[in-house]
Amino acid sequence: MRPRIPYLTSLAPAMAGLLLLIPVFIYQHEIFRTLNCGRTPQLDIPFMFLTMAADGFFILMYFSFWAPARRNIFFAGLIGFLLSAIVTQLLKSYFGAPRPPAVFSPEQLCVLGHPFASRSFPSGHATAAFALARFVFESPSLLIRTGAILFGLAGSVSRIYVGVHFPADILTGAIIGWVVTDFCIHYFRTVRKKLLSV
């Protein structure tokens, strides 16, 4: 069994994300244009699948049906997922940031699916994907941990590809999902340890 990840070590991916936030905010329109669809139609179906798989509903289904196998942290992961979703929705309502279809003309971007126009920041899909990634990161398998990160990244980038989010929305959502779930997992373990020692 793999040793538990120290608290600050488990936050390393989120810290790396924070370091990238400023340059991503500055160059987000350029990054968006590079990653937005329209250049390689062969990728449209895979990215549409990824964007649906990273939806909070499907990830909640994962927690409900498969995650109980890790029952020692199941509730911590589930609470982290739900709390991070609440934080993201509150921030969406507060900022009310425009989405790419409200910023660019139809000729300047490619949108797959419904062209949402508002509540862009932060991305709920990225929050959900990285809340799940942090939960799965507890696996002793390096392959599974790597797969969790890659799923989070692919599902998040898909939101740029389909034209409904800017890179800063994605990165901020990813940080929220990871940090909130990480906190819940460590808090749960601390409380559980104290209860068992009584």
Side-chain angles (χ1 to χ4, degrees):
M1 184 176 178
R2 185 173 66 102
R4 290 173 181 171
I5 308 168
Y7 188 49
L8 290 179
T9 303
S10 65
L11 284 175
M15 291 175 185
L18 284 172
L19 291 175
L20 292 172
L21 260 183
I22 292 177
V24 166
F25 264 107
I26 294 172
Y27 298 107
Q28 68 172 336
H29 284 195
E30 291 81 359
I31 299 169
F32 175 84
R33 290 193 190 99
T34 300
L35 297 175
N36 186 224
C37 61
R39 297 170 184 81
T40 50
Q42 300 86 346
L43 294 176
D44 289 357
I45 292 176
F47 272 103
M48 282 296 288
F49 172 78
L50 282 168
T51 205
M52 289 186 291
D55 185 83
F57 174 73
F58 290 102
I59 291 175
L60 187 58
M61 283 178 60
Y62 172 87
F63 271 110
S64 299
F65 293 106
W66 292 287
R70 296 196 58 76
R71 57 184 177 275
N72 58 326
I73 59 163
F74 167 65
F75 289 109
L78 183 59
I79 291 169
F81 168 78
L82 295 173
L83 280 180
S84 62
I86 291 170
V87 170
T88 294
Q89 293 306 315
L90 289 173
L91 290 173
K92 277 178 176 289
S93 298
Y94 177 78
F95 287 105
R99 293 185 188 245
V103 175
F104 297 108
S105 67
E107 298 77 27
Q108 291 177 303
L109 82 163
C110 167
V111 178
L112 299 177
H114 186 74
F116 297 103
S118 62
R119 288 170 50 85
S120 185
F121 179 85
S123 166
H125 278 70
T127 301
F130 274 88
L132 175 65
R134 176 60 189 93
F135 174 78
V136 178
F137 202 72
E138 290 296 307
S139 169
S141 167
L142 177 61
L143 182 63
I144 291 175
R145 296 199 308 272
T146 304
I149 296 294
L150 291 177
F151 167 78
L153 288 170
S156 298
V157 170
S158 74
R159 302 302 286 165
I160 302 173
Y161 185 90
V162 302
V164 294
H165 273 298
F166 288 109
D169 307 336
I170 298 301
L171 186 55
T172 305
I175 293 169
I176 292 170
W178 187 279
V179 170
V180 172
T181 306
D182 183 80
F183 172 80
C184 289
I185 288 172
H186 285 286
Y187 181 78
F188 172 82
R189 282 187 170 144
T190 301
V191 171
R192 187 167 179 263
K193 186 177 179 181
K194 286 180 179 178
L195 288 174
L196 290 174
S197 65
V198 172

